Amino acid sequence: MEKQGLTILLAAPRGFCAGVDRAIQIVELALAKYGAPVYVRHEIVHNRYVVEGLRAKGAVFVDELDEIPDDGCPVIFSAHGVPKTVPEAARERAMFFIDATCPLVSKVHREAERHFKNGRQLVLIGHKGHPEVVGTMGQLPPGAVILIETAADVQALEVADADNLAYCTQTTLSVDDTASVVEALKRRFPAIEGPHKEDICYATTNRQAAVKAIAQKCEALIVIGAPNSSNSNRLVEVARNHGCGKAMLVQRAAEIDWTWFEGVRTLGLTAGASAPDALIDEVIEAARERFALVLKEVRIIDENVTFKVPGVLAA
Ligand code: 0K2
Ligand code: SF4
């Protein structure tokens, strides 16, 4: 039987960002330099395939430092950043730790500290309980940061001094939703200080813009990423909000129910910042087995950001 035709519009940029690339390199270089085990606090990035791959090479993933024995082996903090209490506890135990926090997350940490030093109350826009939010809030003493998630939360805000406020954001939020939260903040507190727009990083911004560029042309769209990956979930929302109602998050090709795509002639495909190319290729190959495939990349911008690994691991 002849295969049904399917065009895949491949969003670009997609997949790994510079911070994820650096974080994974840090674990790999530490394994090569010091041997196994290398401990990693939290998933180095939110992707099971990446985590399993590193585990197979000798990385040991833990939720908290108290699960790690005092054996002198390196301890790596994940790309999402950690509260100040984590390096403090590591220092107290004389652990050899290497921080894989993305430099763009660390930049937000420093902004938060600067506002606090200048006596401003800090409002953080982010998702409650996400490790990056826990890390950013943990740069300041308990109670110093008020977390909000939506524009509706702005109305309920109770602040000590409306003229002495600042805001920061999580790096992986929806660009559009965050713009409306920032607008609500500025409307209610005209003197509030903050970044030029928000702290959403280049990779999050570009991946969302690339989805917007294809969403209307696609009858369905697949985002490759993990359920706990903030930036990946935002890509599904962006697709749905920009004309592609049939958008779904998948971790691996094996999860895809291809009957879902009956009658679909144009499928959008992208991947979150923590999803490796191997998983994108896997989905393309699975589609090729079932359809007469035409692959078209739609690139909206070239990325050339790279981050150096910490000096202790540099060649
Ligand atoms: O998007 P998330 O912050 O949930 O994290 P990952 O899916 O691991 O992507 C990497 C971003 C890490 C920090 O911004
Ligand atoms: Fe850094 Fe952005 Fe990648 Fe997060 S998504 S690791 S902030 S570059």
Side-chain angles (χ1 to χ4, degrees), residues 41-42 62-65 75-92 95 97-102 105-106 108-110 112-113 124 129-143 145:
R41 183 189 177 279
H42 191 72
V62 299
D63 291 327
E64 290 302 340
L65 298 187
V75 180
I76 295 169
F77 304 152
S78 82
H80 316 92
V82 289
K84 272 202 186 333
T85 48
V86 172
E88 274 164 20
R91 254 178 234 117
E92 229 160 76
M95 284 175 154
F97 66 87
I98 307 170
D99 190 356
T101 302
C102 175
V105 174
S106 302
V108 181
H109 291 181
R110 290 195 302 271
E113 282 183 307
L124 176 66
H130 187 281
E132 182 182 328
V133 163
V134 173
T136 301
M137 292 183 80
Q139 299 307 303
L140 305 186
V145 183

Side-chain angles (χ1 to χ4, degrees), residues 17-20 79 102 104-105 171-172 201-204 273 307:
C17 60
V20 163
C102 175
L104 298 179
V105 174
T171 58
T172 53
C201 75
Y202 82 95
T204 300
F307 294 128

Side-chain angles (χ1 to χ4, degrees), residues 20 45-46 79-80 105 130 132 171-172 228-232 273-274:
V20 163
V45 299
H46 291 149
H80 316 92
V105 174
H130 187 281
E132 182 182 328
T171 58
T172 53
N228 59 340
S229 167
S230 169
N231 79 85
S232 306
S274 44

